[in-house]
Amino acid sequence: MGDVKRRNKNILKSEETIKTVENIKKPFEKVPLSKGLPLRILSRVVVITSLLIIVYFSSKESVITFAKQTELLPGKGLIVECSPEYMNEIIKYEGCAPKDCKRLVTDKVISEREAEELLKIAQKGLKFGGSYGGASILDLHSGALSKGQHFVNIYKIKEMQNLFTQNDFNVFRVVKEKIKFTIAHHFGVQPDKIFLTHPTFFSEITPRKAVTVHDEYWHPHVDKETYKSFHYTTLLYLGDYGIDFKGGRFVFINDKSNSTIEPRKGRLSMFTSGRENPHYVEKVTSGTRYAATISFTCNKIFAIDDPGVDKYEFKS
């Protein structure tokens, strides 16, 4: 009789244990992803994850130097297959669709003197700001300037009223026009069909540790997905890799091996802004890296005017 009671108690304990385990499992039951996260966020997660996987595996293979700092390149290009999303959008704009999607580097469009003048303009503004982290920007169009963990507007600060002269803005405009016509020539589009767009800015990158998400410039990304207005991206380098700074190479992400562009003062890099050109910037390990991002759109809604002294709220 005692054995029967003990057996019954063991059965009851076993049943309680099973129920407890089942209750523990319930919170971990799978929930359909569509109910947990918006589709837009899920798609971004998938894209970012895919890029990170490509970077991880590509890093284990060879890295091709597409443009060395020591080279003086009249023009070097690589045609890539346009992403369907990019072409489906840009084909709507007559005279603006590229003959080919590509990457192009040239050292013959912007002179070293022009690059020096732009560098002085960038440094003149950035010295009044500066991020706590390693990346700062100055946007002459919007007036945005990195300062601490936030941004200030240079055109709304009375003490910065005469910081930039009309001559400074003229230098920027001349360089912008040269870049615009270079895009038109190499991509086979009409120059009056592409427009300066936002954001267009100077960047200053140092080895300082990132403090905010705005300092984390090294993540793989696609420009068109980061900036809706972009159709053509150009980068103008204002310093020399290996001389003014170390690290900070521009890296195109490819299936088999990544390709790098080593910045050179006055070097212009151009590419279509779609998924055909995913990329990132290596972390700067020493020195200071300066560059200008000058972007163009086919959609006139996103066009911006050239910056000028009329931007200032305080008139002299």
Side-chain angles (χ1 to χ4, degrees), residues 79-257:
I79 294 175
V80 293
E81 184 178 355
C82 299
S83 67
E85 300 91 346
Y86 179 80
M87 286 307 298
N88 288 341
E89 178 183 333
I90 204 169
I91 202 72
K92 301 173 187 175
Y93 304 102
E94 185 180 355
C96 199
K99 183 179 179 181
D100 296 295
C101 286
K102 64 176 71 173
R103 306 161 183 176
L104 183 76
V105 175
T106 176
D107 297 318
K108 291 293 189 178
V109 173
I110 307 302
S111 69
E112 189 170 338
R113 181 185 60 80
E114 288 170 322
E116 281 283 357
E117 289 181 0
L118 284 178
L119 177 60
K120 289 176 183 176
I121 293 169
Q123 291 175 327
K124 183 162 59 172
L126 285 161
K127 75 177 182 180
F128 285 92
S131 166
Y132 288 154
S136 302
I137 66 103
L138 168 64
D139 186 333
L140 290 181
H141 173 75
S142 68
L145 172 67
S146 301
K147 191 172 180 64
Q149 296 186 43
H150 307 285
F151 296 91
V152 296
N153 190 329
I154 60 173
Y155 299 126
K156 293 184 177 181
I157 300 174
K158 193 169 185 178
E159 291 72 20
M160 300 176 72
Q161 176 182 355
N162 298 312
L163 184 60
F164 299 111
T165 66
Q166 188 57 52
N167 184 63
D168 292 331
F169 293 120
N170 289 342
V171 170
F172 177 84
R173 180 180 55 79
V174 168
V175 169
K176 182 266 297 182
E177 284 296 306
K178 291 175 77 171
I179 293 174
K180 176 181 176 179
F181 279 91
T182 303
I183 290 174
H185 173 71
H186 287 284
F187 288 90
V189 300
Q190 298 177 25
D192 61 341
K193 297 295 185 180
I194 55 175
F195 311 95
L196 183 68
T197 192
H198 57 82
T200 287
F201 56 90
F202 293 109
S203 59
E204 176 188 74
I205 302 177
T206 71
R208 287 196 301 270
K209 185 178 179 181
V211 174
T212 72
V213 67
H214 299 295
D215 300 319
E216 298 179 8
Y217 57 86
W218 55 82
H219 295 300
H221 64 279
V222 172
D223 283 351
K224 193 75 183 73
E225 294 175 1
T226 305
Y227 306 112
K228 182 180 177 181
S229 60
F230 279 33
H231 287 113
Y232 295 96
T233 303
T234 76
L235 300 168
L236 176 59
Y237 297 108
L238 306 178
D240 290 291
Y241 167 77
I243 299 173
D244 300 310
F245 59 91
K246 292 182 180 179
R249 294 182 301 175
F250 183 94
V251 184
F252 281 116
I253 302 168
N254 305 316
D255 290 335
K256 294 183 179 179
S257 60

